[in-house]
Amino acid sequence: MLRKDRHHRRQHLWPHRCGCVTIKVDASHQMIITLTTDFGLSDPFVGIMKGVILGITPSVQLVDITHDIRSYDILEAAFLIETTYGYFPEGTVHIVVVDPGVGSARRPIAAVSHGHRFVGPDNGVLSAILENEAYHIENNSFFLKHVSRTFHGRDVFAPVAGHVARGIPVQSLGPRIFDFIRHPLPKPCREGARIVGTVLRVDKFGNVITNLRRTDLGSEFTIRVAGLPITRLCASFSQADPGQLFAVEGSTGYIEIALNQGSAADQLRVARGAEIEVETVSANH
Amino acid sequence: MLRKDRHHRRQHLWPHRCGCVTIKVDASHQMIITLTTDFGLSDPFVGIMKGVILGITPSVQLVDITHDIRSYDILEAAFLIETTYGYFPEGTVHIVVVDPGVGSARRPIAAVSHGHRFVGPDNGVLSAILENEAYHIENNSFFLKHVSRTFHGRDVFAPVAGHVARGIPVQSLGPRIFDFIRHPLPKPCREGARIVGTVLRVDKFGNVITNLRRTDLGSEFTIRVAGLPITRLCASFSQADPGQLFAVEGSTGYIEIALNQGSAADQLRVARGAEIEVETVSANH
Amino acid sequence: MLRKDRHHRRQHLWPHRCGCVTIKVDASHQMIITLTTDFGLSDPFVGIMKGVILGITPSVQLVDITHDIRSYDILEAAFLIETTYGYFPEGTVHIVVVDPGVGSARRPIAAVSHGHRFVGPDNGVLSAILENEAYHIENNSFFLKHVSRTFHGRDVFAPVAGHVARGIPVQSLGPRIFDFIRHPLPKPCREGARIVGTVLRVDKFGNVITNLRRTDLGSEFTIRVAGLPITRLCASFSQADPGQLFAVEGSTGYIEIALNQGSAADQLRVARGAEIEVETVSANH
């Protein structure tokens, strides 16, 4: 997905006498840790997690994906990390913490997928990336010394991610497991030429992200959202006329309902979970 | 409280013969990329851009200016980057993306000004910094392989900024252009002793940032905003009495209308674009 | 605009005989600066401060604690930095700027506590960490050249923090002082078996953080908030039944009033400063 050319930090040498030395700083050791939570930015939760990480691996690159996941909304986090992680270099460690069950028996887990590492609670936040390599994080030598029952982002996931970024193999974190929890993202239902989809998310601009793909729409289609018919597919937001609702293949690869320089969600009054009906006319009709 | 084991960045040596070596890590190669967008922080857009950048230049310093530009508000972005970039070291790469025309024929451009580099759409977001050195970004070897028509922040501007931060000269991005779009920031109109200005922005504290300068006010003045007269110029916010509206030379160098520990904008009920009338009494009257 | 002296990451060499060179990049020189302000993220204030810092110390790790302190709320900042700084490695420099008196006679100060360094206005924001080592920041060779009277975060605190992170001892900043301002955080009042506490803060989830400690509650207790009695202490959020208010020892070590997957603050309609009454039954009754 990304070009893999990497920047090796340049070093200049001034050799004295004999002595020609080539030095390579392995820039791939500038590890990246991303953070995706429902913690918000008004409290110090995220800053505290970063402090813990930097105490373990001082030169890591820390990147916030978002901390505005709706409180306790596991599926929203699962969807966001799925559509995001692939834009980071392989080897990145992703912390995903939406954790209403913190302090209960729910397990902390680590997973490996497509060369990326993930840590989070075993409650479905990693649903979309869990393939088959997952581990129950049990080795508390990688935790903070005191583990609370209310903030495992700080006490478990941040330090574990720091250690993984430092080079600790995920296999050292605990035993491999196969019974991890997966909540599949809702899939569209097809009945003949009719498809029923759902709204996965509304973005900041009011674009309504559906779980439909371009191929679901065929050559001609009518999408019905909140009773309103949408029949136009645009290639870009600005291709549409002002005030006209249209469909567009969004940047996540899903079909979005949009309004040129306006909020489709406000106009349609839909939110996540709303139903979307599509009637398609196949090309050979 | 924290385990103190630390990660020492590994270096690999290939010494030839005897070697007494002095090594200089050129710290100026810690390049900086800033990001200014209307993407908000609730969606993963900004995190994704950072992932793309770090895939190209892993050790860059990433700094968010703001992502809370009002959706599609090109002039707000133009104003913010103008008042901000000069506080960064020369050589910094600034990404400015407010891009209602993404996917249309509008060009992606790069500009050089006062030793800083800027990338963004050619729609006026770079109005305030564009001088004469600008380039049409055409060289798609610096883009992501698949370029969508809905998210050039990710597909074009982030990777181009990453490559520029790595050392690619802006001249390699595409041909020089001279017909870039500039929307000048609104300037005050002077008619004798009367000046009509405008509100450029309201900040988080409710301070009303105008497009007036200290020199516009002369030695005595009456500013009228929303019908209310303001005649006092304070040197600092705390110099004013509680509840009293006053003018102050703000940190951007523009005159602001403020209220000590209160929101002038709320009290005056003004927002960006509101008109401000100034009557000055010149010193020799 | 900025002083251009730069920090070159130190490297130590131990040459063994001819041609065998061991290099240690001292990773502890990846210094950390944290930022806690009431500046919000919609304006470029925080980004500008980071630009100033990076002009002085390019390879520092910058971490936002929060910028959503309520405007001018000195005690909120004091509380947040107290509960946060200890999760960062020793040597971290913490900038804390809630500064209604900017530009007045209030002093800029630096403090050292438990191996951490702090800079901020002498107005109480450092109340909770000030012990006895504090300095009046007077040495303007560490300031920006032009110091405004409206934005010392940019002109004084950011550059001073940058220089301290680079290795300037806090003792060089100015004379030691002993008359710094401290506003003690409100302490619970005990009258026999009755304790009157207060709400320190409401977090993003609606958890009501009090100034009570676990030991204040004894073995049996009734907490009264807004007239409602709370008698249950849970070890974790998920231990409680839905809809039931309960007490929990929060991640800061203070007792919080919470609601499993709901907002206790909304249900109780309490905000910071609200009174909390506790009646305890001591174990030997």
Side-chain angles (χ1 to χ4, degrees):
Chain A
M1 186 165 272
L2 302 176
R3 261 165 271 106
K4 289 295 176 201
D5 38 1
R6 289 255 168 76
H7 173 52
H8 289 261
R9 187 181 296 124
R10 285 186 229 160
Q11 294 192 317
H12 305 287
L13 299 181
W14 291 268
H16 303 267
R17 304 204 181 187
C18 62
C20 179
V21 178
T22 306
I23 289 173
K24 192 183 169 199
V25 175
D26 190 345
S28 68
H29 278 87
Q30 181 89 22
M31 287 302 304
I32 304 166
I33 295 178
T34 78
L35 299 99
T36 304
T37 76
D38 63 349
F39 292 162
L41 292 174
S42 297
D43 296 291
F45 303 142
V46 174
I48 286 173
M49 288 175 69
K50 292 178 179 174
V52 169
I53 292 168
L54 294 173
I56 293 163
T57 176
S59 61
V60 74
Q61 279 276 11
L62 294 167
V63 179
D64 299 304
I65 304 305
T66 187
H67 301 288
D68 281 350
I69 304 278
R70 285 193 303 184
S71 298
Y72 325 116
D73 193 335
I74 290 167
L75 270 187
E76 187 183 353
F79 171 64
L80 283 188
I81 197 65
E82 179 203 20
T83 56
T84 298
Y85 83 92
Y87 290 96
F88 283 80
E90 281 187 25
T92 297
V93 181
H94 304 275
I95 303 176
V96 188
V97 184
V98 174
D99 197 10
V102 60
S104 72
R106 76 95 190 87
R107 300 175 294 190
I109 59 171
V112 179
S113 181
H114 294 95
H116 291 250
R117 281 85 57 89
F118 300 83
V119 296
D122 182 25
N123 62 10
V125 281
L126 300 181
S127 287
I129 60 88
L130 272 168
E131 296 187 315
N132 52 34
E133 194 177 348
Y135 302 87
H136 177 189
I137 303 175
E138 277 187 344
N139 189 339
N140 64 10
S141 65
F142 300 122
F143 301 172
L144 287 197
K145 263 177 196 142
H146 173 70
V147 175
S148 74
R149 291 184 64 182
T150 54
F151 191 6
H152 285 192
R154 174 191 70 190
D155 305 334
V156 175
F157 298 114
V160 164
H163 285 289
V164 171
R166 273 183 65 225
I168 297 292
V170 288
Q171 292 78 3
S172 315
L173 300 174
R176 186 156 178 188
I177 56 172
F178 297 90
D179 59 342
F180 41 76
I181 292 174
R182 295 184 69 178
H183 302 302
L185 291 181
K187 294 247 177 303
C189 299
R190 178 181 293 271
E191 304 165 13
R194 190 169 164 273
I195 303 173
V196 176
T198 190
V199 173
L200 291 177
R201 185 175 167 74
V202 172
D203 76 14
K204 184 254 191 182
F205 297 97
N207 299 319
V208 176
I209 306 174
T210 75
N211 63 345
L212 302 167
R213 299 284 183 176
R214 174 69 191 84
T215 50
D216 292 326
L217 300 185
S219 56
E220 271 183 64
F221 62 87
T222 302
I223 299 176
R224 256 170 238 284
V225 193
L228 279 175
I230 294 147
T231 56
R232 186 163 181 212
L233 183 75
C234 290
S236 69
F237 296 112
S238 58
Q239 208 178 49
D241 299 325
Q244 188 193 20
L245 288 163
F246 61 97
V248 61
E249 189 175 19
S251 62
T252 54
Y254 289 106
I255 292 295
E256 302 179 7
I257 311 301
L259 196 62
N260 186 11
Q261 297 200 33
S263 168
D266 283 357
Q267 179 154 334
L268 293 166
R269 293 195 204 148
V270 292
R272 192 186 125 187
E275 192 172 276
I276 291 173
E277 215 180 283
V278 186
E279 284 179 57
T280 58
V281 180
S282 74
N284 55 352
H285 275 209
Chain B
M1 184 164 276
L2 302 176
R3 262 164 268 108
K4 289 293 177 203
D5 38 3
R6 288 254 168 75
H7 173 53
H8 289 261
R9 186 180 295 122
R10 285 186 230 161
Q11 295 192 317
H12 305 287
L13 299 180
W14 292 268
H16 304 267
R17 303 199 184 190
C18 60
C20 176
V21 178
T22 306
I23 290 173
K24 190 185 169 198
V25 174
D26 189 345
S28 68
H29 279 87
Q30 181 90 21
M31 287 302 304
I32 303 167
I33 295 178
T34 79
L35 298 99
T36 304
T37 76
D38 63 349
F39 292 162
L41 292 174
S42 297
D43 296 291
F45 303 142
V46 174
I48 286 172
M49 288 175 68
K50 292 178 179 174
V52 169
I53 291 168
L54 294 173
I56 293 164
T57 176
S59 61
V60 74
Q61 279 275 11
L62 294 167
V63 179
D64 298 305
I65 304 305
T66 187
H67 301 288
D68 281 350
I69 304 277
R70 285 193 302 184
S71 298
Y72 324 117
D73 193 334
I74 290 167
L75 270 187
E76 187 184 353
F79 172 64
L80 284 188
I81 197 65
E82 179 203 20
T83 55
T84 299
Y85 84 92
Y87 290 96
F88 283 81
E90 282 187 25
T92 297
V93 181
H94 304 275
I95 304 177
V96 187
V97 184
V98 174
D99 197 10
V102 59
S104 72
R106 76 95 190 87
R107 300 175 294 190
I109 60 171
V112 179
S113 181
H114 294 94
H116 291 250
R117 281 84 57 89
F118 300 83
V119 296
D122 181 25
N123 62 9
V125 281
L126 299 181
S127 287
I129 60 89
L130 272 168
E131 297 187 315
N132 52 35
E133 194 177 348
Y135 302 87
H136 178 188
I137 303 174
E138 277 187 345
N139 188 340
N140 64 10
S141 66
F142 300 122
F143 301 172
L144 287 197
K145 262 177 196 143
H146 173 70
V147 175
S148 74
R149 291 184 64 182
T150 53
F151 191 6
H152 284 192
R154 173 191 70 190
D155 305 333
V156 174
F157 298 114
V160 164
H163 285 289
V164 171
R166 273 183 66 223
I168 297 291
V170 289
Q171 292 79 3
S172 314
L173 300 173
R176 187 156 178 189
I177 55 171
F178 297 90
D179 59 342
F180 41 76
I181 291 174
R182 295 184 69 177
H183 302 301
L185 291 181
K187 294 248 177 301
C189 299
R190 179 181 292 271
E191 303 165 14
R194 190 168 163 274
I195 303 173
V196 177
T198 190
V199 174
L200 291 177
R201 185 175 168 74
V202 172
D203 77 13
K204 184 255 191 182
F205 297 97
N207 298 319
V208 176
I209 306 174
T210 75
N211 63 345
L212 302 167
R213 300 283 183 176
R214 174 69 192 84
T215 50
D216 292 326
L217 300 185
S219 56
E220 270 183 63
F221 62 88
T222 303
I223 299 176
R224 257 169 238 284
V225 193
L228 280 175
I230 294 147
T231 56
R232 185 161 182 215
L233 183 75
C234 290
S236 69
F237 296 112
S238 58
Q239 208 178 48
D241 300 325
Q244 187 193 21
L245 288 163
F246 61 97
V248 61
E249 189 175 19
S251 62
T252 54
Y254 289 106
I255 292 295
E256 302 179 6
I257 311 301
L259 196 62
N260 187 11
Q261 298 200 33
S263 168
D266 283 358
Q267 179 154 333
L268 293 166
R269 293 195 204 148
V270 292
R272 194 186 124 186
E275 192 171 277
I276 291 173
E277 215 180 284
V278 186
E279 283 178 57
T280 58
V281 181
S282 74
N284 55 353
H285 275 209
Chain C
M1 184 165 276
L2 303 176
R3 262 164 269 106
K4 290 293 177 202
D5 38 2
R6 288 254 168 76
H7 173 53
H8 289 261
R9 187 181 294 123
R10 285 185 230 161
Q11 295 192 317
H12 306 287
L13 299 180
W14 292 270
H16 303 267
R17 301 198 184 192
C18 60
C20 179
V21 178
T22 306
I23 290 174
K24 191 183 169 199
V25 174
D26 190 345
S28 68
H29 278 87
Q30 181 90 22
M31 287 302 303
I32 304 167
I33 295 178
T34 78
L35 299 99
T36 304
T37 76
D38 63 349
F39 292 162
L41 292 174
S42 297
D43 296 291
F45 303 142
V46 174
I48 286 172
M49 288 175 68
K50 292 178 179 174
V52 169
I53 292 168
L54 294 174
I56 293 164
T57 176
S59 61
V60 74
Q61 279 275 11
L62 294 167
V63 179
D64 299 304
I65 304 304
T66 187
H67 301 288
D68 281 351
I69 304 278
R70 285 193 303 183
S71 298
Y72 324 117
D73 193 334
I74 290 167
L75 270 187
E76 187 184 353
F79 171 64
L80 283 188
I81 196 66
E82 179 202 21
T83 55
T84 299
Y85 83 92
Y87 290 96
F88 284 80
E90 281 187 25
T92 297
V93 181
H94 304 275
I95 304 176
V96 188
V97 184
V98 174
D99 197 10
V102 59
S104 72
R106 76 94 190 88
R107 301 175 293 191
I109 60 171
V112 179
S113 181
H114 294 95
H116 291 250
R117 281 85 57 88
F118 300 83
V119 296
D122 181 25
N123 62 10
V125 281
L126 299 181
S127 286
I129 61 88
L130 271 168
E131 296 187 315
N132 52 35
E133 194 177 348
Y135 302 87
H136 177 189
I137 303 175
E138 277 187 345
N139 188 340
N140 64 11
S141 65
F142 300 122
F143 301 172
L144 287 197
K145 262 177 196 143
H146 173 71
V147 175
S148 75
R149 291 185 63 182
T150 53
F151 191 6
H152 284 192
R154 173 191 70 190
D155 305 334
V156 174
F157 299 114
V160 164
H163 285 289
V164 171
R166 272 183 66 225
I168 297 292
V170 288
Q171 292 78 3
S172 315
L173 301 173
R176 187 155 178 189
I177 56 172
F178 298 90
D179 59 342
F180 42 76
I181 292 174
R182 295 183 70 177
H183 302 301
L185 291 181
K187 294 248 177 302
C189 299
R190 178 182 294 270
E191 303 166 13
R194 190 169 164 274
I195 302 173
V196 176
T198 190
V199 173
L200 291 177
R201 184 175 168 75
V202 172
D203 77 13
K204 184 254 191 182
F205 297 97
N207 298 319
V208 175
I209 306 174
T210 74
N211 63 345
L212 303 167
R213 299 284 183 175
R214 174 69 192 84
T215 50
D216 292 326
L217 299 185
S219 56
E220 270 183 65
F221 62 87
T222 303
I223 299 176
R224 257 169 237 285
V225 193
L228 279 176
I230 294 147
T231 56
R232 186 161 181 214
L233 183 75
C234 291
S236 69
F237 297 112
S238 58
Q239 208 178 49
D241 299 325
Q244 188 193 20
L245 288 163
F246 61 96
V248 62
E249 189 175 19
S251 62
T252 54
Y254 289 106
I255 293 295
E256 303 179 7
I257 311 300
L259 195 62
N260 187 11
Q261 297 200 34
S263 168
D266 282 357
Q267 179 154 332
L268 293 166
R269 291 194 205 149
V270 292
R272 192 186 125 187
E275 192 172 277
I276 291 174
E277 214 180 285
V278 186
E279 284 179 57
T280 58
V281 181
S282 73
N284 55 353
H285 275 209

